[in-house]
Every structure is written in C-alpha cells, then in structure tokens.
Amino acid sequence: MKEVVRTVRFSVIIPVQSRAKQLMLTLTAFEKQTCPTDQFEVVVVDDASRDDTLAQLQHYRPPYKLTVVSLNRPVGRAVARNIGVAASSEDTLIFVDSDFLVFPDFIRTHEMYHIRHPNTVISGMPNLMRGAYTQFHADFSPEEKARAADVLRHNGVWNEAWMRAPRTVDLVTPDDIRRGTGRLEQVLAPWNDDDPNWREFRATDVAPWILCVTRNVSMSRSLFERVGWFDGIFQKYGLEDWELGYRLHAHGYKFVSMAEMTGVHQEHPAAVRNKEGNEENLRFFFGKHGLRNPEVSLLAIHSPEDGLPVYKNALRILWRLRRNRSARHRLTELRFRNLCTRTAVRFVHDPQSEAYTRDKRLLQQAILAANEAFTSRLPEKSKLHHIRRILNRAILDVKRANKPASRAIRARRGKRAARGSKKAR
C-alpha cells in the first residue's frame, strides 16, 4: 500500500508597528517558499503604525493568501497576535516577527517537525538570533553603528558615508530577495552555533518554556486555544511569549528546538526594549503564576537574559539538592528557594528598593559561585557538599543583612504599642 504523506497547513501571524521596510522584506521572502503557496496563509496585524506600513500593505499583491488587519489604536503585541489568530483559518500557527526574514525552506522545515513531533511547540530558538543588516539605520546608536560597520566592512560592502547618512540606507531590497542576488549573504552577521548560551536553549530538562520566542515559533491551534491564547495584560515590550510558554509547559506540552537555520533577524535600533516595560511585565508574570517555583522567582535574581547557563544550572542544583537523600541538602534547598521567593516579592513591591538590590546581589553572587562548583570536575558528592556550603553562607549573609531592618521594625512596633497603651489609660 502506498504511504500517504500528510501535509500540514499553516497560518503565519505577524504583528507589526512602524516597521515597513523590514516587513516588506519578510513578506517578499514568503514568496520564495519551496512549498506550494496554498499550504500557508499570512495574517499581518498592523498595530496602528505611524509610518507607511499600511499603505505598502494595501499595494502589495503576493502569490500567497495575505490578510491584513488594520488597528486604529495600538494594543500591544500580545493582543495583536490574538487578533491575527482570530482572523486566520489554518490548524497550525506560526508566530513570526515583522523583522524576521525567512529562508525558502521555512514552511517546509516547520512542517517536517510537526509531522515528527505532533502536539509539540516547535521553536526556531536559538538560531533565530542570527542577525542581518538589511538596512543601516540613521537612528542606530553609536555602538550599534560601530557593530554594523565592523560586520559590513568584514563582508566587503561598507561605505564610510553611511555613518553620516541622514536617512536609513537600504542594503537589501525586495528585488534582491526575489532575484536571489546574493546581497543578503553579504550583510549577515557572524554566528557561533557552539556558544554555551545557545546550546542551553536546546536543552529541555529544565525551563523548556523559554524556547517560546515569538520571533519564530509554531504550535497547533488546539494547543494555543487550550492554554488560553496570549494574555493581553502584557502591553509593553517583553515576556508575553515566555508567559505563554510557561502555561504550555504547565499543561504538559513538550518543546523542540529546530536544528536548521530558517531565517535571520533584521537588525534595527534596540531602543524599544526598555527596562521599565520589562519590569512591569515581570510583575504581571509574577502576579499570574506566583513565586514558589524557582523557575519563576529566579527571574528577579538571575534571569536567562543575565546568562542562560547559570540560570539553568541554578535550577539543576536546586533540583538535585531537593531530591538528595541527605536531610541537610534538602533543608538548604528549601531555605534558599524561600529566600528567592522573598527576594522576588521585594522586587514586586519596589524593584528600586535597597533591600531588593542588596538581597539580589548576595543571592546572585551565591548562584554564580555555585555554578562554578557545579561545572567543575569535582566528584558529584564533593560538588554537592561544596555547593551546600556556598548556599548556606548566602542564607546566613542575607539573614545578617536583614537583621538591622528587622530590629528597627520591631522597635517601631513597640513604640506604637506603647503609645496605644497610654491612650487606652
């Protein structure tokens, strides 16, 4: 009997806000897919762009099905993606950023992984982090300009006049993509696939949900709907995709990292990624999921963005101590985990407070020292004993650091109680 080859059909969801140049390159790249054009649709949600994004979309006629949803007021990336899903029609969703320029086998690769790994979240992380300078932006910071110049100079396409250009310089055009001129290859940033940070993303033994990065991630519509879509409370930049990933993980769904390079990020000014937005969204994350799980509380102490190997090894350390036969090891894990929770609570109340800053520093120092021991060549038993001493020292240091504050609080309470008893007389 002839084997039936199943075809997976995709809805590609792209939110955009004032990124017309990058978006049109991304949409043009979908014209070059190696799969039939009726195997996928693209839904673009224009989140009240202030440039000519909407005008360009209205004049664009691709060979694939394109749906454009235009919003009169900005709603944020989480809500925009939900609107895109509601306007889509296929059973498998791919979330892509407007600045992610896909390669010709992009759809085919997602299809292959979904056939091999049904009911699984398929992520382009970490390969999706590779950059390309499709434009040299006039509003790049001096550091960003220097980085871009180094890459382009090394690739033999640099022009010193670009440093003083008053407007953004287009280095790759839609015509370059359509005709395959090789221009894109000339503006690619170098990539080290063996970077420890990238290797850790592929490991799913702890915190696999950080693979849920919406620059390039796919899942079935049923998975997405079952866990409750994106949470619209995330209005500012960041964490809305990890929060969805955390819920998918909590529901027991698996994550797989694609080995293939399926596209590149079009480099642009990074001013949009502001600390204030991340702090506010982190509070939302904590409020929704609580702080008992160290995968969550550690985000306020040493997050994956501070160094993924250290973050993941901290979780592995706590996991091993918690399951150790020694009651001393288990007690150390419990105390340290509780300290992480308390420190995250302090972040929620006031991320600028002296108490939070101090405790975070002490715990982060301990985590870094424990990581050094964890990755050493010490025998396993000696390694855990050494790590337990490091964590116990940190627990004691935090306790001592908080004692003066505790005494002051008790003193104030005692004075209030004394004044209250005098009034009662």
mmCIF file of all heavy atoms in Angstrom, residues 109-125:
data_model
loop_
_atom_site.group_PDB
_atom_site.id
_atom_site.type_symbol
_atom_site.label_atom_id
_atom_site.label_comp_id
_atom_site.label_asym_id
_atom_site.label_seq_id
_atom_site.Cartn_x
_atom_site.Cartn_y
_atom_site.Cartn_z
ATOM 1 N N THR A 109 10.344 23.281 6.765
ATOM 2 C CA THR A 109 11.011 22.821 7.985
ATOM 3 C C THR A 109 10.017 22.725 9.135
ATOM 4 O O THR A 109 10.018 21.737 9.888
ATOM 5 C CB THR A 109 12.169 23.769 8.352
ATOM 6 O OG1 THR A 109 13.046 23.899 7.241
ATOM 7 C CG2 THR A 109 12.950 23.243 9.539
ATOM 8 N N HIS A 110 9.163 23.728 9.305
ATOM 9 C CA HIS A 110 8.131 23.646 10.336
ATOM 10 C C HIS A 110 7.229 22.433 10.096
ATOM 11 O O HIS A 110 6.858 21.718 11.046
ATOM 12 C CB HIS A 110 7.295 24.924 10.357
ATOM 13 C CG HIS A 110 7.894 26.023 11.187
ATOM 14 N ND1 HIS A 110 7.746 26.086 12.553
ATOM 15 C CD2 HIS A 110 8.667 27.086 10.837
ATOM 16 C CE1 HIS A 110 8.383 27.147 13.020
ATOM 17 N NE2 HIS A 110 8.961 27.772 12.007
ATOM 18 N N GLU A 111 6.881 22.179 8.857
ATOM 19 C CA GLU A 111 6.026 21.023 8.538
ATOM 20 C C GLU A 111 6.699 19.721 8.947
ATOM 21 O O GLU A 111 6.077 18.853 9.583
ATOM 22 C CB GLU A 111 5.730 21.009 7.043
ATOM 23 C CG GLU A 111 4.888 19.808 6.626
ATOM 24 C CD GLU A 111 4.730 19.698 5.119
ATOM 25 O OE1 GLU A 111 5.674 20.060 4.384
ATOM 26 O OE2 GLU A 111 3.666 19.224 4.678
ATOM 27 N N MET A 112 7.971 19.578 8.619
ATOM 28 C CA MET A 112 8.705 18.353 8.953
ATOM 29 C C MET A 112 8.691 18.110 10.463
ATOM 30 O O MET A 112 8.447 16.984 10.919
ATOM 31 C CB MET A 112 10.144 18.480 8.454
ATOM 32 C CG MET A 112 11.056 17.320 8.831
ATOM 33 S SD MET A 112 12.761 17.597 8.301
ATOM 34 C CE MET A 112 13.283 18.891 9.437
ATOM 35 N N TYR A 113 8.923 19.166 11.245
ATOM 36 C CA TYR A 113 8.956 18.997 12.698
ATOM 37 C C TYR A 113 7.576 18.674 13.261
ATOM 38 O O TYR A 113 7.460 17.888 14.208
ATOM 39 C CB TYR A 113 9.535 20.247 13.362
ATOM 40 C CG TYR A 113 11.043 20.239 13.419
ATOM 41 C CD1 TYR A 113 11.806 20.736 12.372
ATOM 42 C CD2 TYR A 113 11.711 19.707 14.525
ATOM 43 C CE1 TYR A 113 13.193 20.710 12.416
ATOM 44 C CE2 TYR A 113 13.097 19.681 14.584
ATOM 45 C CZ TYR A 113 13.835 20.180 13.518
ATOM 46 O OH TYR A 113 15.208 20.144 13.569
ATOM 47 N N HIS A 114 6.527 19.257 12.724
ATOM 48 C CA HIS A 114 5.185 18.970 13.246
ATOM 49 C C HIS A 114 4.733 17.553 12.900
ATOM 50 O O HIS A 114 3.992 16.938 13.675
ATOM 51 C CB HIS A 114 4.182 19.999 12.726
ATOM 52 C CG HIS A 114 4.191 21.273 13.518
ATOM 53 N ND1 HIS A 114 3.559 21.389 14.737
ATOM 54 C CD2 HIS A 114 4.794 22.465 13.279
ATOM 55 C CE1 HIS A 114 3.759 22.614 15.211
ATOM 56 N NE2 HIS A 114 4.509 23.279 14.351
ATOM 57 N N ILE A 115 5.190 17.029 11.782
ATOM 58 C CA ILE A 115 4.873 15.632 11.442
ATOM 59 C C ILE A 115 5.618 14.690 12.384
ATOM 60 O O ILE A 115 5.067 13.696 12.874
ATOM 61 C CB ILE A 115 5.223 15.349 9.971
ATOM 62 C CG1 ILE A 115 4.255 16.110 9.049
ATOM 63 C CG2 ILE A 115 5.174 13.856 9.683
ATOM 64 C CD1 ILE A 115 4.620 16.049 7.580
ATOM 65 N N ARG A 116 6.874 15.031 12.681
ATOM 66 C CA ARG A 116 7.679 14.176 13.578
ATOM 67 C C ARG A 116 7.276 14.337 15.047
ATOM 68 O O ARG A 116 7.387 13.391 15.826
ATOM 69 C CB ARG A 116 9.164 14.534 13.436
ATOM 70 C CG ARG A 116 9.791 14.152 12.127
ATOM 71 C CD ARG A 116 11.258 14.587 12.124
ATOM 72 N NE ARG A 116 11.928 14.288 10.869
ATOM 73 C CZ ARG A 116 13.164 14.689 10.575
ATOM 74 N NH1 ARG A 116 13.854 15.391 11.463
ATOM 75 N NH2 ARG A 116 13.710 14.374 9.417
ATOM 76 N N HIS A 117 6.843 15.526 15.435
ATOM 77 C CA HIS A 117 6.562 15.830 16.844
ATOM 78 C C HIS A 117 5.160 16.439 16.983
ATOM 79 O O HIS A 117 5.034 17.648 17.206
ATOM 80 C CB HIS A 117 7.607 16.801 17.410
ATOM 81 C CG HIS A 117 9.021 16.367 17.211
ATOM 82 N ND1 HIS A 117 9.641 15.440 18.020
ATOM 83 C CD2 HIS A 117 9.948 16.734 16.274
ATOM 84 C CE1 HIS A 117 10.885 15.264 17.607
ATOM 85 N NE2 HIS A 117 11.093 16.032 16.544
ATOM 86 N N PRO A 118 4.120 15.639 16.855
ATOM 87 C CA PRO A 118 2.763 16.197 17.000
ATOM 88 C C PRO A 118 2.503 16.687 18.424
ATOM 89 O O PRO A 118 3.138 16.217 19.376
ATOM 90 C CB PRO A 118 1.853 15.011 16.640
ATOM 91 C CG PRO A 118 2.700 13.792 16.864
ATOM 92 C CD PRO A 118 4.107 14.197 16.573
ATOM 93 N N ASN A 119 1.602 17.653 18.560
ATOM 94 C CA ASN A 119 1.246 18.222 19.875
ATOM 95 C C ASN A 119 2.474 18.757 20.614
ATOM 96 O O ASN A 119 2.609 18.583 21.827
ATOM 97 C CB ASN A 119 0.514 17.191 20.741
ATOM 98 C CG ASN A 119 -0.827 16.820 20.173
ATOM 99 O OD1 ASN A 119 -1.565 17.693 19.715
ATOM 100 N ND2 ASN A 119 -1.145 15.552 20.172
ATOM 101 N N THR A 120 3.357 19.394 19.876
ATOM 102 C CA THR A 120 4.606 19.912 20.425
ATOM 103 C C THR A 120 4.792 21.349 19.963
ATOM 104 O O THR A 120 4.342 21.732 18.880
ATOM 105 C CB THR A 120 5.796 19.043 19.950
ATOM 106 O OG1 THR A 120 5.607 17.707 20.424
ATOM 107 C CG2 THR A 120 7.119 19.562 20.466
ATOM 108 N N VAL A 121 5.453 22.149 20.792
ATOM 109 C CA VAL A 121 5.798 23.518 20.415
ATOM 110 C C VAL A 121 7.140 23.477 19.694
ATOM 111 O O VAL A 121 8.132 22.982 20.242
ATOM 112 C CB VAL A 121 5.875 24.438 21.654
ATOM 113 C CG1 VAL A 121 6.242 25.862 21.237
ATOM 114 C CG2 VAL A 121 4.554 24.419 22.418
ATOM 115 N N ILE A 122 7.173 23.990 18.464
ATOM 116 C CA ILE A 122 8.389 23.963 17.650
ATOM 117 C C ILE A 122 8.995 25.364 17.634
ATOM 118 O O ILE A 122 8.345 26.330 17.233
ATOM 119 C CB ILE A 122 8.089 23.499 16.207
ATOM 120 C CG1 ILE A 122 7.316 22.166 16.215
ATOM 121 C CG2 ILE A 122 9.371 23.396 15.409
ATOM 122 C CD1 ILE A 122 8.043 21.019 16.883
ATOM 123 N N SER A 123 10.251 25.462 18.054
ATOM 124 C CA SER A 123 10.891 26.771 18.214
ATOM 125 C C SER A 123 12.104 26.926 17.302
ATOM 126 O O SER A 123 12.891 25.989 17.135
ATOM 127 C CB SER A 123 11.338 26.960 19.673
ATOM 128 O OG SER A 123 12.119 28.128 19.813
ATOM 129 N N GLY A 124 12.245 28.125 16.749
ATOM 130 C CA GLY A 124 13.442 28.446 15.966
ATOM 131 C C GLY A 124 14.594 28.939 16.820
ATOM 132 O O GLY A 124 15.666 29.254 16.309
ATOM 133 N N MET A 125 14.392 28.985 18.129
ATOM 134 C CA MET A 125 15.425 29.414 19.061
ATOM 135 C C MET A 125 16.440 28.289 19.253
ATOM 136 O O MET A 125 16.039 27.126 19.386
ATOM 137 C CB MET A 125 14.758 29.766 20.395
ATOM 138 C CG MET A 125 15.620 30.525 21.363
ATOM 139 S SD MET A 125 15.961 32.186 20.762
ATOM 140 C CE MET A 125 17.097 32.777 22.015
#
